[in-house]
Amino acid sequence: MMGGHIKMGRQEVGRFLEQYQGPNLRLVALALANNYPMFRKTLRMRFEEFGMMWSQRFEHELQVYFGEDGSAIGRAIDGYCRFSLEAMRLQATFNETLKYTAESHKDAVEETYSNDGYMVGTYLPALLLSHFLWPHHFRQLNWAPEHFFSRLRNVEAQTFYDIGIGTGFYSKEALIALPEIRGWGFDISAASIEHTSQLLARWDVADRYEILAHEVRPILDGGVDAFISVELLEHLDDPLSFLMALRESVGPNALGLISAAIDAPNRDHVYLYRDMDGISQQLATAGFQVLDSELFSAYEKSNADETVPQSGCFVVCSAR
Amino acid sequence: LKEAEIRTKLVDVMATILDVAPAMITEDCSMDTIGHWDSLKHMKLVIALEQEFGIEFDDADVVEMLNFRLIELTLQRALKI
């Protein structure tokens, strides 16, 4: 039924490959064209937007993580595409209801985190690829070094917590950006812990990192120099209580990178933020001073009533 | 619905979602001939068609029905015509 499409897809992929050499990107392009042709323009669009810096960095990430393993890349693309399809359908429903479908964190845990098959096969590979394939995630990834890691370098930060490690991606970024820093990751998901362990080992930074399978709590006397919590708040029933506990755990004068999804109805998103103010007010109430912030949108609205997935990203300091 | 009615509605929905003149929606139009028809536009088109015709497409069809002919065929199958 779809032979003509695959042929056209391959021609398009061929044009892409002529421009952007890289064995892993080539495998991604082929997996998209052959199995999910509706996404076959994605690589070219990201390249047109972000250029060679994007393709070289993505190729390097893929090389370290997948090492040209075509079947592993195929599974990750499968997860990414299923995840993206679901997210786009949920966005359409959200446009009408302005509500997330998960009733509570407990529902989300049962639906997502405790389902190792879903986590390993779909959720985590999709999240990893989304750092490069979703434009707002890639912009945030590029924002962090200039606006957060540079500050950590200036204060010679030695320690950091990452709360809700997910794929382990931002812990990895911190460990690479700051060769002297040591990290502690907190997460309740066995699949996330396993995935992060593998990711950090492949990047050869695991010796400076320890993973703790529980909620965040103080583990260092005198607090920690820095902390990261990327897209965790929207997964919680009561993010303000979490932020207050986080403030107590990190101690005074810790620099933090905190981001939260806005208007982004994934199956495991529970707490709805509608704008940056909703996040910044909770940060202030919990005792964090906002030093810098940025809003990243997945795409432009086509009309005033349309909702668009966004990420609100903040650099904060815990007050004395 | 008759085939002609389906086609008329299909052309209208595609023209609206893809933001092109109805005359651009020909039997040969596809994701390759309409440059800004990307995955996001495609999903908006799918959802608009589902709402217009009161159906739900399988994801296996959604990811591959990337030209007018295939969309029309898939639509007819879903409507059991």
Side-chain angles (χ1 to χ4, degrees):
Chain A
M1 174 183 173
M2 304 299 167
H5 279 284
I6 291 170
K7 189 177 178 185
M8 281 191 283
R10 283 180 174 155
Q11 288 171 347
E12 192 165 80
V13 168
R15 290 195 294 275
F16 178 85
L17 295 179
E18 285 173 15
Q19 289 178 272
Y20 327 126
Q21 293 298 318
N24 292 280
L25 270 176
R26 187 174 306 162
L27 291 168
V28 168
L30 287 170
L32 288 171
N34 287 334
N35 302 327
Y36 292 90
M38 71 172 273
F39 293 104
R40 67 176 186 244
K41 290 184 177 179
T42 303
L43 293 183
R44 195 189 68 206
M45 290 168 65
R46 293 295 89 76
F47 182 85
E48 286 173 357
E49 185 170 4
F50 298 117
M52 195 61 82
M53 174 270 287
W54 170 84
S55 62
Q56 289 176 341
R57 191 163 175 201
F58 194 15
E59 173 63 29
H60 187 208
E61 189 78 32
L62 293 166
Q63 178 63 39
V64 173
Y65 188 75
F66 294 106
E68 299 175 43
D69 180 342
S71 61
I73 287 177
R75 287 194 298 275
I77 287 296
D78 189 53
Y80 167 79
C81 292
R82 285 191 284 145
F83 186 84
S84 297
L85 277 170
E86 181 181 76
M88 287 192 281
R89 280 199 178 277
L90 288 170
Q91 196 74 40
T93 303
F94 179 76
N95 267 327
E96 305 296 322
T97 65
L98 298 180
K99 291 180 180 174
Y100 288 166
T101 52
E103 293 287 324
S104 67
H105 180 63
K106 181 171 175 288
D107 288 348
V109 167
E110 288 173 357
E111 178 76 9
T112 306
Y113 307 118
S114 60
N115 183 342
D116 281 351
Y118 179 79
M119 286 291 286
V120 174
T122 299
Y123 187 88
L124 295 172
L127 279 185
L128 191 83
L129 294 178
S130 79
H131 289 297
F132 294 88
L133 295 178
W134 287 0
H136 60 312
H137 280 191
F138 189 66
R139 285 192 206 99
Q140 179 172 293
L141 178 59
N142 284 298
W143 189 81
E146 184 179 348
H147 295 262
F148 180 59
F149 296 146
S150 61
R151 289 176 188 268
L152 302 192
R153 211 170 282 121
N154 289 342
V155 301
E156 298 181 351
Q158 298 294 307
T159 55
F160 77 98
Y161 294 165
D162 186 353
I163 305 96
I165 51 180
T167 61
F169 195 88
Y170 272 84
S171 280
K172 179 263 287 180
E173 291 291 303
L175 291 163
I176 291 172
L178 301 149
E180 304 300 322
I181 206 164
R182 299 188 65 82
W184 285 262
F186 300 82
D187 206 299
I188 57 171
S189 161
S192 278
I193 291 169
E194 176 66 22
H195 189 275
T196 297
S197 299
Q198 290 179 14
L199 182 72
L200 300 188
R202 288 172 193 177
W203 282 92
D204 201 21
V205 292
D207 59 329
R208 290 185 281 127
Y209 197 78
E210 185 178 342
I211 303 176
L212 303 162
H214 55 69
E215 308 285 350
V216 63
R217 68 179 71 131
I219 58 168
L220 297 175
D221 291 338
V224 71
D225 296 331
F227 59 98
I228 295 168
S229 180
V230 172
E231 300 206 355
L232 171 68
L233 299 180
E234 67 274 14
H235 297 260
L236 306 175
D237 294 325
D238 184 0
L240 178 57
S241 293
F242 162 78
L243 287 169
M244 296 172 88
L246 176 64
R247 167 63 191 82
E248 290 304 308
S249 298
V250 299
N253 296 320
L255 290 168
L257 178 73
I258 294 181
S259 77
I262 297 169
D263 281 356
N266 292 354
R267 67 159 72 182
D268 56 341
H269 289 181
V270 175
Y271 191 92
L272 173 59
Y273 292 103
R274 299 298 324 273
D275 52 34
M276 292 287 275
D277 284 349
I279 307 168
S280 59
Q281 285 171 13
Q282 289 187 344
L283 290 170
T285 303
F288 293 109
Q289 179 190 358
V290 174
L291 305 177
D292 203 348
S293 65
E294 188 64 63
L295 177 67
F296 302 98
S297 296
Y299 46 86
E300 290 182 16
K301 290 184 179 189
S302 59
N303 63 68
D305 295 329
E306 184 181 21
T307 63
V308 171
Q310 296 174 312
S311 177
C313 196
F314 297 80
V315 174
V316 301
C317 180
S318 54
R320 288 178 186 275
Chain B
L1 284 175
K2 294 179 180 175
E3 287 184 25
E5 291 175 287
I6 292 172
R7 175 168 283 214
T8 301
K9 285 189 175 187
L10 174 57
V11 169
D12 286 347
V13 171
M14 288 184 71
T16 301
I17 299 296
L18 299 175
D19 196 22
V20 296
M24 291 279 292
I25 308 299
T26 65
E27 286 207 344
D28 295 324
C29 82
S30 72
M31 194 180 240
D32 293 310
T33 63
I34 298 178
H36 60 278
W37 182 350
D38 59 10
S39 58
L40 182 65
K41 287 270 188 201
H42 184 65
M43 202 63 204
K44 288 181 177 180
L45 174 60
V46 165
I47 289 165
L49 290 170
E50 289 180 341
Q51 291 173 345
E52 177 68 33
F53 292 98
I55 55 168
E56 186 165 338
F57 295 112
D58 292 336
D59 281 352
D61 289 328
V62 168
V63 299
E64 297 204 341
M65 50 188 226
L66 305 175
N67 65 39
F68 180 86
R69 286 197 183 101
L70 281 175
I71 293 172
E72 188 174 45
L73 279 172
T74 309
L75 198 49
Q76 288 172 350
R77 200 174 63 224
L79 292 167
K80 297 183 172 47
I81 288 177

